[in-house]
Amino acid sequence: MKFKIVRIDLKDDKNVVLYLKSVQKSGGILPKANLSNPASLIEFSMQMGMAMSKKLEELTSFDAFITLEFEQYEILDLKVGDIVEIEIKHAE
C-alpha cells in the first residue's frame, strides 16, 4: 500500500511517529467557469472555495500512523510529502 507522509512527530527520545495519508488518484472535477453574469461568478467562487477546503481537510487528516526507531528514520531520510510503500505481513 502506498502512503504519503503528512506529519512527523518525535514520540520520545528513541522513536518517531509518521502520520500517513493513503495515496489514491482522486479525479476531482472542477466546475467550468461561467463568468457571463455576477451570479454565476459568485456561484463559481463558492464552488472553488468548497473544493479548496475539502483538499485542505484531506491534507490535514491521516489514514494511518507508524512508529520507527529514530536511527532507522535518519537512515531512510524521510520528509513530509514523501511517498512510502508499506507492506503488512504476519509475524511468526
Side-chain angles (χ1 to χ4, degrees), residues 30 45-59:
L30 293 176
S45 298
M46 289 174 54
Q47 290 174 353
M48 289 299 293
M50 287 188 288
M52 210 173 213
S53 66
K54 184 177 177 183
K55 281 293 182 188
L56 284 172
E57 180 183 348
E58 287 176 3
L59 288 174

